[in-house]
Amino acid sequence: MDKPHNALYFSRTHPASGCPCHLEVLPGGLTVSVSESSVETVPLERLSIKSGGFDYDHLILSWTTDGDERQMYVKDPIVIASLATLTAPEVSRHIARSIKDTSRARQATKMWIWLTMASLMAILVGLWAASDVLVQVAVHRIPIEWEHTLGESARQQVLMGQRVITEGPTVDAVQNMTKRLAGQLHDSPYRFRATVVRNETVNAMALPGGSVIVYTGLLKQADSPEEVAGVLAHELSHVVLRHGMESMVQSAGLMTIVMVVLGNQQGAIGALERLGIQITSLKFSRDKETAADLHGLHLLDEADISPAGMIAFFERLAKSDGMPTALLSTHPMSAERAARLKREASSLPRVSPVPLDVDWAAVKASL
Ligand SMILES: [Zn+2]
C-alpha cells in the first residue's frame, strides 16, 4: 500500500505540477517514496534548504542527482521537525532560520489579512459616519475670521427690531458671568461679548465667533445667577466646539459657505437665509447637545460656579408647560438630560463654589 503523501517532488522526470510523494527523514538521509517501487534515498549533506511557497510556509529541499536538479516542497511540521533534529548543525541552523522565517511570514500574512479586513470595516463604518467626520474636518480648517464674519452678520440679524438694553444691572450681570466663564477658555480665538435684549421669550444663544445674546425672559425665569451662568456655559460650549459652523456646513455644504464668506460679507446671512438656513434656529444633534452640556458643566466647575444652578434650570424647563420658550424649541430638555448632568457633577471634586459678583435683587427688580 502507498504511504500517505506529505511532500511534493519536482524533477525532470515528473510532471511540471509536481509529483505527490511520501518523505521520511532517517539518520542516513531522506527517503522519498513516489510509489512502492520507486524509492530514492538522498544523503542529508547533499541537501540545500530554504523557505518558500505562497506565504513562505514551506521548506524547499534541493539536491542534484545525476546532473538533474531536484526539489521537494515540504509543509508537514513533523517532517520539518525531524529534519531539524537530524541534519548536521549548520543545516539545522539553516532550518531553524527557515522555520523562523516561515512563522514570521505566516504572521505577516495573517496581519495582512487582518489589516485588509479592518480597512474594509473602516471604509464601511466610515461611509456611514463620513458626513459627520468630513464636516468636522472641513470646519476645523475654516479660518476663525470667517466665523467672526458669519457670527457678526447673524448678530445683526438677531438684534434687528429688538430692544437692546445697553446698561443697568442685567447688562452688568450677564457681562460679568460671560467674562468669568470666558476667562477659563484659555487661548480661545473667540471674542466673547454679551448683549441683553428686552424680550419675554425664554431664550439665550451664542453665535459663531462668540457673540452671546440673552433675552430678559430667560432672566425672569431664572431663580439664581448660577442658573443663568449654567445656560451661558452651555451656549459658550457650542461656540468653542464649533457646533454652529458644523451645522451650517451640514445644511448648506462647504462650498456654499466658502462662497458666502468670500462673496459679499455683509450679505452673508441674507445669502444663507435664501438657502433656507436660519443661523439662530439651527438645531443641534442630541450628541452635540450632550457635548455642550458636559463641556459647559466642566466650564462652570473651572470657573468655581456651582453646577447646581444649571441642573435646576434644565429640570425646571423640562417640566415647564405653555411657557414661551425659544430655548425649548432648539433645546429639548428631558429628565434624562438633567440626570446625566447630575451624575457628571457628582463625579467632580468637591470645591466650594465662589458666588457670582452679581446684584441679583437689582437684576430681578429691573425686569
Ligand atoms: Zn445647546
Side-chain angles (χ1 to χ4, degrees), residues 234-235 238 284 288-289 292-293 330-331 337:
H234 172 95
E235 292 298 328
H238 277 313
F284 299 131
K288 286 192 170 99
E289 289 305 336
D293 277 354
T330 51
H331 288 79
R337 195 169 164 185

Side-chain angles (χ1 to χ4, degrees), residues 297-298 300-302 307 341 343-351:
L297 187 82
H298 286 272
L300 288 171
D301 185 56
E302 281 158 28
L341 278 172
R343 271 200 308 278
E344 185 74 11
S346 67
S347 72
L348 296 173
R350 293 259 158 256
V351 185

Side-chain angles (χ1 to χ4, degrees), residues 241-253:
L241 300 171
R242 306 185 90 170
H243 289 163
M245 282 306 291
E246 281 180 16
S247 293
M248 272 195 276
V249 170
Q250 237 153 3
S251 316

Side-chain angles (χ1 to χ4, degrees), residues 83-217:
L83 272 169
T85 51
L86 287 176
T87 45
E90 61 275 19
V91 181
S92 294
R93 269 201 300 280
H94 192 88
I95 293 173
R97 201 162 55 234
S98 295
I99 291 171
K100 217 158 101 191
D101 286 351
T102 302
S103 69
R104 199 180 298 148
R106 204 175 291 159
Q107 274 172 10
T109 307
K110 274 186 194 153
M111 180 69 86
W112 184 81
I113 291 170
W114 190 88
L115 277 176
T116 308
M117 281 175 66
S119 311
L120 281 172
M121 282 301 290
I123 289 168
L124 285 175
V125 172
L127 281 175
W128 180 63
S131 55
D132 276 3
V133 174
L134 286 178
V135 163
Q136 277 176 13
V137 170
V139 165
H140 284 270
R141 285 166 183 268
I142 289 178
I144 296 292
E145 274 313 309
W146 293 17
E147 282 197 63
H148 286 137
T149 301
L150 286 168
E152 185 47 37
S153 302
R155 184 173 176 274
Q156 286 169 17
Q157 182 201 30
V158 174
L159 297 182
M160 203 180 291
Q162 295 284 354
R163 289 170 60 201
V164 174
I165 303 177
T166 53
E167 55 181 9
T170 53
V171 176
D172 292 347
V174 172
Q175 283 181 350
N176 179 299
M177 293 173 197
T178 306
K179 204 171 153 193
R180 182 142 155 200
L181 290 166
Q184 299 307 314
L185 299 167
H186 311 287
D187 307 323
S188 170
Y190 300 107
R191 297 190 288 265
F192 296 102
R193 61 166 172 161
T195 306
V196 183
V197 162
R198 190 168 293 283
N199 188 315
E200 293 304 301
T201 310
V202 180
N203 202 9
M205 69 190 78
L207 302 168
S211 268
V212 179
I213 297 169
V214 178
Y215 286 25
T216 47

